[in-house]
Amino acid sequence: MNITVVEVQAWLDDFAKKIEENKDYLSLLDTPIGDGDHGNNMSRGVAEYKKSIEDKQPNTISDTFKILAMALISKVGGASGPLYGTAFMNMTKATVGIDVISSYEELSKVIEQGQIGISTRGKAVFGDKTMLDVWIPVVSSIKDKNFNEKIIENAKNATKDLVAKKGRASYVGERAIGHIDPGATSSSYLFETLLNYI
């Protein structure tokens, strides 16, 4: 594993493309259990990130994460902006002074800081039908050196059978059962695109 700022920026660029390609699907997922705007909101956030990265041309992993964090906080509405923004701000702190992520152990520490940021900000736990239902299994699988597409896919799909206990989806109670969580889905894109750089 040799993840430098070059690989991090390529990864986040891939993530931005994946959001853009799937923005309608993400909003469709959000329609029965949320405001129906998750895809459009995330699309605005990653577009701002791409513009900022072009303007600022950061040369460290930490600064790259910070630009994404600020773009998501400023442009993504609802809970997703602050949650993703806090995740990447925590990852910024975890990568200060780090030029290369070269092991699963190092990578797990970085992603876990993102997960901790989401947990602290959103007060959610595993099983609440949120993006954490993808982040937590991903962190565990990276620690176990067993990080793969199936784990990401299974974690995302498992949200379908859960009752939402946090966020807008919690308002619909058991009617959220049968719907995959949109935040878990956008998080799955983040980690699917990361696999290409490990």
Side-chain angles (χ1 to χ4, degrees):
M1 190 183 302
N2 191 45
I3 301 174
T4 69
V5 65
V6 174
E7 285 75 31
V8 166
Q9 289 178 8
W11 162 38
L12 297 181
D13 190 50
D14 288 351
F15 172 55
K17 285 180 192 154
K18 190 104 174 169
I19 291 290
E20 194 54 43
E21 287 164 7
N22 292 279
K23 69 178 180 180
D24 292 342
Y25 175 61
L26 288 171
S27 289
L28 192 67
L29 287 179
D30 195 35
T31 299
I33 60 173
D35 290 332
D37 57 2
H38 185 64
N40 289 333
N41 282 343
M42 289 298 294
S43 176
R44 272 200 310 275
V46 295
E48 178 66 18
Y49 162 73
K50 287 171 83 170
K51 182 175 173 295
S52 296
I53 209 95
E54 191 70 34
D55 292 344
K56 294 174 182 171
Q57 299 194 351
N59 55 18
T60 68
I61 295 171
S62 186
D63 285 346
T64 301
F65 285 151
K66 186 174 185 182
I67 287 171
L68 179 57
M70 297 313 292
L72 296 174
I73 289 167
S74 68
K75 293 291 179 182
V76 179
S80 298
L83 291 170
Y84 269 115
T86 303
F88 282 101
M89 281 310 270
N90 268 28
M91 288 161 68
T92 293
K93 294 171 198 163
T95 50
V96 170
I98 294 174
D99 293 326
V100 58
I101 299 166
S102 56
S103 69
Y104 280 97
E105 184 183 4
E106 288 173 1
L107 181 63
S108 72
K109 285 177 181 172
V110 174
I111 305 296
E112 188 169 36
Q113 281 306 308
Q115 176 211 306
I116 289 166
I118 295 165
S119 303
T120 305
R121 186 79 187 242
K123 308 285 189 270
V125 296
F126 185 74
D128 280 351
K129 197 181 182 99
T130 71
M131 58 205 291
L132 281 175
D133 291 314
V134 167
W135 282 72
I136 289 170
V138 161
V139 169
S140 295
S141 70
I142 295 171
K143 284 181 178 175
D144 295 340
K145 300 179 184 174
N146 186 34
F147 178 44
N148 60 63
E149 197 161 348
K150 190 174 180 187
I151 281 169
I152 301 165
E153 190 72 10
N154 288 346
K156 176 195 75 179
N157 289 337
T159 65
K160 187 172 186 177
D161 300 321
L162 298 173
V163 175
K165 296 188 181 128
K166 290 286 174 185
R168 174 71 74 176
S170 65
Y171 301 164
V172 301
E174 294 198 351
R175 282 181 293 141
I177 295 172
H179 300 284
I180 293 171
D181 183 69
T185 305
S186 57
S187 292
S188 77
Y189 299 156
L190 178 68
F191 297 121
E192 282 167 12
T193 49
L194 173 59
L195 282 169
N196 298 327
Y197 299 95
I198 293 177

